[in-house]
Amino acid sequence: MIKVSICEENIVTRRLLNEMIGKLQMMHNIIATELPQGENFINTATAEKPDIILLSENFNCGLQTKGFETAKILRSQGCTAVIILMTVSPENIYYSSELNPLSCLLKPFKYDDICRLFLESIDNNLLAVSIDIKHKHSYKNIDIDNIVYVEADKRYTNIRTNEDNYLCSESISSLEERLPKRFFFRTHRTYILNFKHISDINDCLIEMDNGEFVILSRHKKAEFDKAYTAYKRSENKYSQSVRIGA
C-alpha cells in the first residue's frame, strides 16, 4: 500500500490531485489523505509516515517558511517520504537535489505532468525491484521484471521466468499481494501474468514472450482489458521523466 498525503490549499487543485490518484489506483494500491494546515502540520506529516507528500509551496504549515524550506524541516524531523513540491519558483528545481528524493513541479501544471511525475516517483523510489521466495530448501531473490507469469500448482506456486522455473511454497494469493498491480494481473484463479511479457492476445488465451500461454477467465476479460489499456497508456505517456534531482 502506497500512502499519499495531499498538502494543497487550493480546493480546485486538491480535487484534481484526488481525481488523478483515483485513476491511478487501478495500477497501484494507493490510499490518499489530506493533511490539515496549521502549526501541527510537521508533527502530523511525520507521524503519519506517508510514502509520498504532494506539497504546495503556499501550503500553510504554521511556519514562517514556504516550499523548499518546509521540505527541509520535514527532512530534519526524520520524514523519508518522496516529496513532490508544487511550486511557482523555478529556483527550487536547482535546490531539489539537496533533499533527495524530492521532485519539483512548476505551477500551473497540466494533469499529464503530475501523473507522469507521480508515476516516476513511485517507480524510482517505492516499487520493489525483486522479491524473496522460498524455493525448495533455500531462499531465492527474483527480479520482478524477469517474472513472465505465476501459476498455482496445488499447495505450491510456480514462478516462471525466461530463464528458469521456481517452485515456491507461498500461495498464489499471497504472491499477488506482493506483486505491483501496475505490471501484474490475476487473469484466472490459477494465473498471474506480467503485462511486460505479453506477446499476443487472442480472446481469452494470452501468449507470453517465452512462447507459453496463460488463460484469461471470461468474467475477468473486461477488467483485464481496462487494466492492460491503462498499463500501455502509462508506459507510452509517462515514459519521459520530469523527475528532477534523481
Side-chain angles (χ1 to χ4, degrees):
M1 180 69 70
I2 297 172
K3 295 175 64 177
V4 179
S5 292
I6 299 173
C7 310
E8 168 58 55
E9 73 286 351
N10 184 284
I11 188 170
V12 175
T13 305
R14 280 206 309 273
R15 287 174 180 169
L16 176 66
L17 295 172
N18 276 303
E19 178 186 349
M20 175 202 73
I21 290 171
K23 289 183 177 180
L24 295 180
Q25 283 177 334
M26 179 182 297
M27 292 183 283
H28 294 290
N29 291 317
I30 301 173
I31 181 170
T33 59
E34 296 182 12
L35 294 188
Q37 301 189 66
E39 60 184 15
N40 292 323
F41 167 75
I42 296 294
N43 290 336
T44 303
T46 304
E48 288 201 3
K49 299 186 184 326
D51 298 298
I52 296 177
I53 296 176
L54 298 171
L55 176 62
S56 171
E57 181 180 49
N58 296 317
F59 192 73
N60 179 8
C61 305
L63 307 166
Q64 299 302 312
T65 59
K66 286 188 177 181
F68 183 73
E69 292 300 321
T70 301
K72 287 178 69 174
I73 294 172
L74 283 169
R75 286 284 185 261
S76 72
Q77 296 298 313
C79 176
T80 59
V82 176
I83 300 174
I84 297 179
L85 180 62
M86 299 173 289
T87 177
V88 295
S89 306
E91 62 267 23
N92 282 324
I93 294 176
Y94 300 103
Y95 301 141
S96 63
S97 60
E98 298 178 29
L99 297 177
N100 188 46
L102 181 142
S103 301
C104 289
L105 187 69
L106 288 176
K107 290 183 175 181
F109 54 77
K110 295 180 180 179
Y111 180 86
D112 286 351
D113 293 337
I114 185 64
C115 282
R116 180 170 59 246
L117 185 56
F118 193 87
L119 288 176
E120 285 292 329
S121 297
I122 292 175
D123 289 352
N124 292 332
N125 298 286
L126 300 174
L127 284 187
V129 297
S130 62
I131 58 171
D132 291 318
I133 64 158
K134 189 173 183 181
H135 173 61
K136 297 181 179 178
H137 302 293
S138 62
Y139 284 90
K140 297 284 186 182
N141 184 265
I142 301 177
D143 188 328
I144 285 177
D145 278 351
N146 288 338
I147 298 176
V148 179
Y149 67 86
V150 176
E151 179 184 17
D153 184 6
K154 296 180 181 178
R155 293 184 301 161
Y156 299 93
T157 306
N158 285 310
I159 299 177
R160 172 69 80 182
T161 70
N162 278 320
E163 297 80 28
D164 211 337
N165 182 67
Y166 300 92
L167 187 63
C168 172
S169 57
E170 192 171 347
S171 71
I172 191 170
S173 294
S174 176
L175 282 171
E176 182 182 14
E177 293 180 1
R178 296 173 61 195
L179 295 170
K181 285 174 62 178
R182 181 175 172 187
F183 306 113
F184 289 87
F185 185 88
R186 189 161 183 177
T187 62
H188 185 270
R189 62 183 178 82
T190 308
Y191 291 101
I192 300 171
L193 60 70
N194 187 343
F195 287 140
K196 292 184 177 182
H197 290 278
I198 290 178
S199 177
D200 189 33
I201 301 174
N202 185 5
D203 194 23
C204 288
L205 197 61
I206 302 172
E207 184 177 2
M208 309 305 289
D209 59 10
N210 66 350
E212 298 184 61
F213 292 87
V214 169
I215 298 171
L216 172 61
S217 294
R218 290 201 174 276
H219 75 275
K220 285 200 167 189
K221 192 173 188 311
E223 183 185 354
F224 169 82
D225 290 343
K226 189 175 180 180
Y228 188 52
T229 298
Y231 161 76
K232 296 292 288 184
R233 185 183 299 119
S234 71
E235 289 298 290
N236 294 331
K237 205 171 190 179
Y238 310 129
S239 60
Q240 297 299 316
S241 172
V242 295
R243 185 170 182 272
I244 307 296

